Amino acid sequence: MTSSAEHTPERPDGAAAPDVSAAPARRGRVRARRAAVMAVPATLAAAGLAVLTAQGALGVQFAISGMPFTVTATELNGTGFAQFGGLDEMAEGSPNAGDTGGQVLVVTSVIKNATLTKLCQSVDLGGTNLVIRAGEGSQKVSASDLTTDSTELTGDAAFNNIEIGNDASTLDKAGPKGRGPKGVFSQQSDTVHIANLRQTNYATTAGVFKLPGLKLGFSGSGC
């Protein structure tokens, strides 16, 4: 008599073969221990961006909301610049995860000391935008240990004493916070100047962030 139960196949050595039918699907999942990004800025068109494999998990500073925000400035000047790949993670079960698995590959830029002219930051809340403006008068926005995690960056850039192709763990121009994971492509320079800066960011941190002339409000349009 034939049983209705499924027969577990055996390997030639007599051991039961592993059941692969129970492995969960991971569509769109980016693995923290396997992915890193080659972080050459979008303003250097000849260099571009690429993805490479790196050993070890990429560091995450905090759980991101998963809502991207726009940052613009007519001018950014900084001393002590570093850039490398990173991976940001959303809180578990975030409604913004979509098919990403709650993870976003980003380009992390670190500037030891930065000033920005006519800073604008906006986030689309669905039908309205929360907009922050500062540094529109004689005083500029200033920040120390400024770190941004971006998926897009455009502008007209100039770098002084740039080094491209460093191992991210060896960077030293932006201080301890300007180092990334070992085995990840990176670059650094003594100074950075970007005119007409525009970024799509998922996270920003700073040791000190001074916003003269701060204005916060809601608007039908963003930056």
Side-chain angles (χ1 to χ4, degrees):
M1 181 177 294
T2 303
S3 172
S4 60
E6 293 185 3
H7 176 67
T8 301
E10 293 186 355
R11 298 189 310 205
D13 59 3
D19 182 5
V20 299
S21 64
R26 296 180 179 269
R27 291 185 56 192
R29 185 69 183 257
V30 179
R31 305 234 175 184
R33 294 184 177 275
R34 296 185 180 177
V37 70
M38 167 182 165
V40 178
T43 50
L44 297 178
L49 287 173
V51 175
L52 56 84
T53 299
Q55 295 291 330
L58 298 176
V60 177
Q61 294 175 320
F62 53 79
I64 61 171
S65 69
M67 298 177 67
F69 55 95
T70 299
V71 174
T72 65
T74 57
E75 186 177 60
L76 177 149
N77 287 287
T79 58
F81 172 78
Q83 196 171 62
F84 48 87
L87 187 71
D88 285 351
E89 294 200 46
M90 303 174 205
E92 186 175 355
S94 171
N96 300 320
D99 61 357
T100 67
Q103 298 176 325
V104 181
L105 274 172
V106 295
V107 176
T108 297
S109 302
V110 182
I111 304 176
K112 186 63 178 175
N113 293 288
T115 61
L116 300 99
T117 303
K118 294 185 178 179
L119 174 71
C120 180
Q121 177 178 302
S122 65
V123 58
D124 186 350
L125 301 177
T128 189
N129 294 269
L130 176 62
V131 181
I132 296 174
R133 298 183 186 275
E136 295 183 323
S138 59
Q139 289 184 291
K140 298 179 180 181
V141 171
S142 62
S144 63
D145 294 325
L146 177 65
T147 301
T148 58
D149 289 357
S150 312
T151 53
E152 293 184 27
L153 185 157
T154 61
D156 301 310
F159 302 90
N160 185 41
N161 293 329
I162 192 168
E163 301 171 1
I164 301 175
N166 311 61
D167 186 294
S169 67
T170 67
L171 299 180
D172 58 7
K173 292 182 181 291
K177 293 186 178 180
R179 298 190 186 105
K182 185 176 291 187
V184 172
F185 188 99
S186 68
Q187 68 174 16
Q188 64 176 356
S189 64
D190 288 344
T191 66
V192 57
H193 169 82
I194 304 178
N196 303 315
L197 171 70
R198 187 174 189 88
Q199 293 177 301
T200 300
N201 293 345
Y202 277 86
T204 296
T205 64
V208 176
F209 209 2
K210 296 182 179 179
L211 300 159
L214 174 65
K215 299 176 183 177
L216 184 151
F218 293 97
S219 173
S221 59
C223 298

